[in-house]
C-alpha cells in the first residue's frame, strides 16, 4: 500500500484506522472505485472504506466495531466472484483479506493444509506439487482467486465431476461471527460432522454468516497417470449422447467439458488457440486420471464411444505440453468472449444430464428471441451449463435484454428440475431467481438461519435471498 | 398391527387416533415397552404413545397437534441407532415411520431414486441390482435399518472410505418442520446447493430439526469388478503401517477394515466364522472396486505392501462366495461380541490415520486400567475406530466402569485432534463428550440453529448437546 498522509474527520474511519493501522485503510473516493464491484460488473456501489487486516484479531476487532456501531460490512477476497457477492450495495466497510495470505502448515501424512483466506488457490498446488500433492478445486480463475473466496462461494471447477466442489475439500474453518466472536468449526476431516454440519452450512454461504479467517483443506496425492481426449462433433446431440454413454459405462472422468460452436469461435480468437475446426457444433474435452493401471483401457473405451456417436475427429493428447495447451484454451473460456463481443454475461445453470439436448435447444430459442448470441461452455458431466450471453452495453437497452435472456436460461434449467447456480453463487445477480426454485416458506427457513448468525443483518446484506415483498401484489384501494 | 378395542380417556390419545386411525396408535404400557430404547440400551424411558402415520399429511398433522399442545415428540425408524437418538427421554409421542416404506421412483438415467423414510436400506440395492445399480451407504445394520434413520444419523458403513457417508448420497428431502409445516430441500443433486446447505444441515441432525418424509438418493452403477484381500498380521503396528502405505500409494480402496485379536476371537465365535488364526494381533480386510482394467495391478500392489509390512498370510478372495463369507464375518462384528461377553458398549471415535498405533496403545492402557477387555473393529482407512468395551451388567458397578472406559477412549481420540463420533451420532450417549471438542460458544452456535427450527424444543429434546449448566461450579454459600 502506498504511504500517504492520513487525514479524515470521520470518527469511524479514525477508529478503524486505529485497529488496522493508517496504512491499511482506504477511504478516499479515488481509492474506493476499484472496490465498487467484483467480477459481476452490472451493479456497482462505492464502499465506505476498505480495511486490510493482517490477522484474525484485527478482523474480529473491525467486525466488533462495525457491529457495535451499526456499520454494514462485508469480506472480499480477490474480487473474482461472478455473482456480485462482494459488491458493497449498502456502502459497506469492505474487509479485504488479501494480506492474510499465508500457507500456515502442510501435513502430508494426514493430507491436509492450513491456509489463510487470502491465499491464492493455485499457489497451494504449486507449493506442494514437488512433493507429489495438489489441491483439487480448480475454478478457471484459480491463478488469482483466493481460497477464502472459494469457501464463500463453494467454488467448483473443471475437475469437480470426479473430485467434488470446494465443500468436499474443506476440513475445518476459523470464523469471525458477525458480532466479532471467533469460533472454530470442523473436526479435522471427520466424514460425519459432529453435531450440526456447520462446516457445510458456512461453506457456500456467500459471506452472509461469518468471515472465514483460517481454512483447513484436504490435499490429494497427484494421480499417477492422466490422459486427455479431445473430440469434435458435427452435431451437439451426438456430443451430449457421448457424455451420457461415458457416464453410463461406469466411468467417472476427472473432467468432461463441452463447448459449442460460438464458444469455440471465441476461444480460438483468444490467447490460446488450438486450431479447433470452426464448423463443428460441439467439442468434448475429456480427462481421465488415477493409477496407471487401466487408464489406457478407459481411453480406448472413450474413443470407442465417441466413434459410435459419429465423432468427426478424436485424439489423445500426446504429451503434457499438448494437454496443457488444450486446457489453457478451455480455461480462457469466459474471458475469451471479449474477443468476439464487447460484453458478455455468464450464466450458471444446472440440469439433470439427461435434459442436455432439450435445454440446449431452449437456449437456442432464447438466443433467437432476444437477438443475442449465446455461447455455451459447460461441465457436461455435471450438467452444469454456462450460457454466455453476448451483448453490447453501449447499445441502449441491450444490457437489460441480456439480463432478461440470462434469467430465461435459468428458468429453463429450473423448469426441468435443475438449479439456477452450479458454482458461481447467487449473490446480487440471481437473488430474485431464487423464487424459481424455492417457496416463501423455504426461503424463510433459510433467512431464519441467517438471522441467527447475523441478527442485525449488517454482514453482506441484500445478497443471496430475494428482496422481501418484491413480488407482493399491490392491494386495491 | 393387531386389531384391538380402542378405549382411552386421554384426550391427546383420542385426538392422535383421529389423525392416524385407531389401529395405528399404541398407548398401553405393555405395547410401549418395545419403544423405550433403541440400539443404545443403557437408558430407557417409556413414550407417551407410538403413532404409525402412513403419509406426509398424517406426519404433519401429528406434529402440528403436538406443537399446538406442547407435547414432546420424536421420529423413529427401525430403532437400530447406537447412540440413543430415538429414546423418548421426555415421554415423547413417538412417530414411527415404518409404514412409510415405499420405493416411490427410480430414475436410472439420472442416477436417483426416491424413497419414503421407512424404506429399508438394503432393499434399495436389492430393488435395482438386477439393472446393475446399487445404493452405496452400507451400515452393518443395512438389512434392517431405514434410510430415514440413516439420514438422521448420517450413517456410514464399511465402504464409506471411497464412497462417502449418507450425506454424500442425499439429493433432496421432504421435511416436516417442528411446527407441522412441510418444506422441500435440495435441488436434485446439484453439487453446489443453492442458498444455504440445508440438505447438509438436516442430514445428520439426529432428528432434532425436522422429520424427513421423503428422500431422494443418489444411486450408483455397480462397479465392473471387485477384488477382496484378507491379510493377517502378527503385529498391529505392521497392519497400521500397511494401511498408511496403501493410502500413500494413491489408492482409494472401497473398504479398508481392521480387526484386532479380541474382535477376531468374537467374530470367530459368532455366526459366520472364517477360520482366522487366533494368535494374530490384527487382520485387514481390503476391497478394491472399479472398472476391470487395472484392478489386478492394484491388488498386486496391495499384496506387495502387505508383504513389505511383514504380513503372516495374505490372500485374495477366489470367488463371490468367499468374498461374501469374509464380509458376513466382518459385519457380524458388533453383535458377535455377545459370543464372548454378556454385554458390550460400542464406541465410535475418529482419529487422523497417522495416530492409529498411538491411540490403539492408549486404548490398551484404558482396558487395563478398568480391568475390562476392549475389542477394536474399525474402518482403518477413515481412521474411524470402534472400541467395543466388554462388560457384565449383572456385576455391580461394571456398567458405570464400561461407560467411563468408553468415554476415556473418546477423550483419547479427541486429544489427538480427532472426534467422538464417526458415524453413530451423539444422541444421548455422547452428549456430554461434545465438550471434549467444542467450546461453549461453539455449542451455542449450534443450539441457536436448533432453536430456529425447533423453538419450543419439543422435537427430540435432550439429545446431541450437553445439558446446559451441568458443568457449572456450585457457588459457595
Amino acid at each position: 500500500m502506498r504511504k500517504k498522509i492520513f487525514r479524515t474527520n470521520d470518527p469511524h474511519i479514525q477508529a478503524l484506522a486505529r485497529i488496522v493501522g493508517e496504512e491499511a485503510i482506504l477511504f478516499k473516493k479515488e481509492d474506493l472505485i476499484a472496490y465498487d464491484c467484483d467480477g459481476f460488473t452490472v451493479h456497482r456501489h462505492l464502499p465506505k472504506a476498505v480495511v486490510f487486516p493482517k490477522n484474525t484479531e484485527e478482523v474480529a476487532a473491525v467486525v466488533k466495531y462495525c457491529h457495535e456501531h451499526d456499520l454494514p460490512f462485508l469480506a472480499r477476497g480477490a474480487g473474482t466472484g461472478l455473482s456480485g457477492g462482494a459488491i458493497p450495495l449498502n456502502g459497506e466497510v469492505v474487509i479485504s483479506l488479501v494480506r492474510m495470505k499465508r500457507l500456515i502448515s502442510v501435513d502430508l501424512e494426514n493430507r491436509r493444509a492450513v491456509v489463510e483466506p487470502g491465499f491464492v488457490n493455485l499457489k497451494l498446488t504449486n507449493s506442494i506439487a514437488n512433493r507429489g500433492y495438489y489441491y483439487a478445486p480448480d475454478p478457471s480463475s484459480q491463478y488469482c482467486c483466493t481460497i477464502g473466496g472459494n469457501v464463500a462461494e463453494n467454488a467448483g471447477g473443471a475437475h469437480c465431476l470426479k473430485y467434488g466442489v470446494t465443500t468436499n475439500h474443506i476440513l475445518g474453518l476459523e470464523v469471525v461471527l458477525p458480532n466479532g466472536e471467533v469460533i472454530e468449526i470442523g473436526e479435522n476431516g471427520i466424514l460425519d460432522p459432529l453435531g450440526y454440519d456447520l462446516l457445510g452450512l458456512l461453506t457456500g454461504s456467500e459471506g452472509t454468516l461469518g468471515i472465514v479467517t483460517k481454512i483447513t483443506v484436504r490435499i490429494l496425492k497427484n494421480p499417477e497417470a492422466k490422459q486427455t481426449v479431445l473430440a469434435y462433433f458435427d452435431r451437439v446431440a451426438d456430443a451430449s449422447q457421448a457424455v451420457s454413454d461415458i457416464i453410463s459405462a461406469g466411468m467417472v472422468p476427472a473432467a468432461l467439458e463441452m463447448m459449442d460452436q460460438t464458444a469455440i469461435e471465441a476461444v480460438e480468437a483468444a490467447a490460446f488457440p488450438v486450431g479447433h475446426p470452426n464448423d463443428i457444433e460441439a467439442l468434448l474435452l475429456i480427462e481421465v486420471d488415477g493409477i496407471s493401471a487401466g487408464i489406457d483401457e478407459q481411453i480406448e473405451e472413450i474413443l470407442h464411444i465417441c466413434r459410435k456417436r459419429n465423432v468427426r475427429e478424436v485424439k489423445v493428447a500426446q504429451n503434457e505440453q499438448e494437454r496443457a495447451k488444450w486446457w489453457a484454451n478451455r480455461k480462457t473460456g469466459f474471458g475469451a468472449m471479449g474477443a468476439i463481443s464487447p460484453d458478455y454475461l455468464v450464466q450458471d445453470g444446472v440440469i439433470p444430464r439427461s435434459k442436455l439436448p432439450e435445454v440446449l435447444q431452449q437456449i437456442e430459442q432464447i438466443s433467437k428471441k432476444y437477438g443475442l448470441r449465446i455461447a455455451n461452455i459447460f461441465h457436461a458431466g455435471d450438467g452444469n451449463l454456462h450460457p454466455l450471453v453476448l451483448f453490447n452495453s453501449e447499445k441502449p437497452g441491450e444490457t437489460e435484454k441480456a439480463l432478461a435472456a440470462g434469467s430465461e436460461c435459468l428458468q429453463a434449467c429450473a423448469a426441468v428440475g435443475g438449479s439456477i447456480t452450479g458454482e458461481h453463487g447467487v449473490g446480487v445477480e440471481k437473488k430474485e431467481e431464487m423464487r424459481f426454485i424455492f417457496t416463501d416458506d423455504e426461503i424463510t427457513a433459510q433467512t431464519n438461519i441467517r438471522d441467527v448468525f447475523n441478527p442485525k443483518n449488517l454482514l453482506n446484506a441484500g445478497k443471496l435471498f430475494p428482496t422481501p415483498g418484491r413480488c407482493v401484489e399491490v392491494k386495491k384501494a
Side-chain angles (χ1 to χ4, degrees), chain A residues 40 107 121 134 139 154 174 227 309 320 333 368 401:
Chain A
F40 179 69
D107 172 0
N121 176 303
Y134 75 113
N154 191 13
E174 178 185 80
Q227 291 266 29
R309 295 299 171 191
E320 178 55 29
K368 283 188 184 139
K401 267 164 64 178

Side-chain angles (χ1 to χ4, degrees), chain A residues 56-327:
Chain A
T56 303
E57 292 65 40
E58 287 187 4
V59 174
V62 168
V63 167
K64 205 159 179 216
Y65 183 87
C66 290
H67 175 75
E68 281 167 5
H69 295 84
D70 290 326
L71 293 178
F73 61 100
L74 59 80
R76 179 184 172 106
T80 57
L82 291 164
S83 54
I87 300 176
L89 287 182
N90 313 289
E92 272 86 353
V93 172
V94 169
I95 301 173
S96 167
L97 297 164
V98 293
R99 284 174 79 198
M100 292 174 63
K101 58 179 180 187
R102 282 186 308 145
L103 171 58
I104 298 172
S105 66
V106 173
D107 172 0
L108 295 180
E109 192 171 13
N110 293 301
R111 302 275 173 91
R112 60 190 64 164
V114 182
V115 301
E116 287 186 328
F119 191 66
V120 166
N121 176 303
L122 190 59
K123 279 195 180 168
L124 180 50
T125 292
N126 290 345
S127 309
I128 54 183
N130 61 346
R131 283 171 283 176
Y133 291 84
Y134 75 113
Y135 175 62
D138 62 336
S140 294
S141 57
Q142 68 183 130
Y143 62 93
C144 62
C145 65
T146 64
I147 293 181
N150 296 167
V151 170
E153 300 296 331
N154 191 13
H159 291 76
C160 60
L161 171 59
K162 180 167 178 182
Y163 293 103
V165 292
T166 299
T167 195
N168 303 112
H169 299 270
I170 301 302
L171 304 178
L173 295 174
E174 178 185 80
V175 182
V176 176
L177 295 177
N179 62 4
E181 241 170 49
V182 181
I183 64 169
E184 288 197 28
I185 59 180
E187 314 94 49
N188 282 317
I190 309 313
L191 284 169
D192 175 18
L194 197 57
Y196 301 138
D197 183 9
L198 295 192
L199 203 55
L201 188 67
L202 267 286
T203 306
S205 60
E206 303 195 10
T208 64
L209 300 183
I211 298 179
V212 168
T213 46
K214 201 156 71 180
I215 306 156
T216 305
V217 301
R218 186 193 308 281
I219 55 182
L220 299 180
K221 184 105 179 164
N222 284 340
E224 207 174 81
K226 207 179 264 184
Q227 291 266 29
T228 310
V229 170
L230 183 60
Y232 298 137
F233 290 86
D234 287 315
R235 296 192 318 140
V236 81
D238 283 331
S240 302
Q241 195 54 55
V243 170
S244 280
D245 291 353
I246 290 167
I247 303 285
S248 299
M251 285 183 278
V252 184
L256 183 35
E257 302 282 298
M258 199 189 294
M259 284 197 268
D260 74 359
Q261 195 163 9
T262 307
I264 294 167
E265 181 189 334
V267 294
E268 284 298 301
F272 303 104
V274 161
H276 302 313
N278 59 15
D279 62 341
I280 48 169
E281 274 190 16
L283 71 73
L284 294 181
L285 183 62
I286 308 161
E287 190 158 277
V288 173
D289 70 11
I291 55 168
S292 304
I295 289 270
D296 292 343
E297 290 84 343
Q298 283 187 65
I299 291 293
E300 273 314 310
E301 191 166 355
I302 288 169
L303 297 179
H304 174 74
I305 287 170
C306 289
R307 291 191 191 108
K308 206 175 66 185
R309 295 299 171 191
N310 311 309
V311 72
R312 181 197 290 188
E313 186 189 347
V314 59
K315 50 190 174 185
V316 182
Q318 292 307 302
N319 48 48
E320 178 55 29
Q321 196 187 357
E322 187 169 31
R323 185 190 156 268
K325 197 169 141 192
W326 293 353
W327 274 112

Side-chain angles (χ1 to χ4, degrees), chain A residues 414-431:
Chain A
V416 297
S419 171
I420 60 165
T421 177
E423 53 184 14
H424 297 173
V426 173
V428 176
E429 185 198 15
K430 289 182 288 271
K431 59 185 188 165

Side-chain angles (χ1 to χ4, degrees), chain A residues 13-35:
Chain A
I13 303 288
Q14 289 167 343
L16 293 169
R18 276 193 296 276
I19 296 169
V20 294
E22 290 179 3
E23 74 295 349
I25 183 166
L26 300 176
F27 57 89
K28 294 189 182 145
K29 193 177 166 193
E30 64 270 27
D31 294 326
L32 296 178
I33 286 172
Y35 297 88

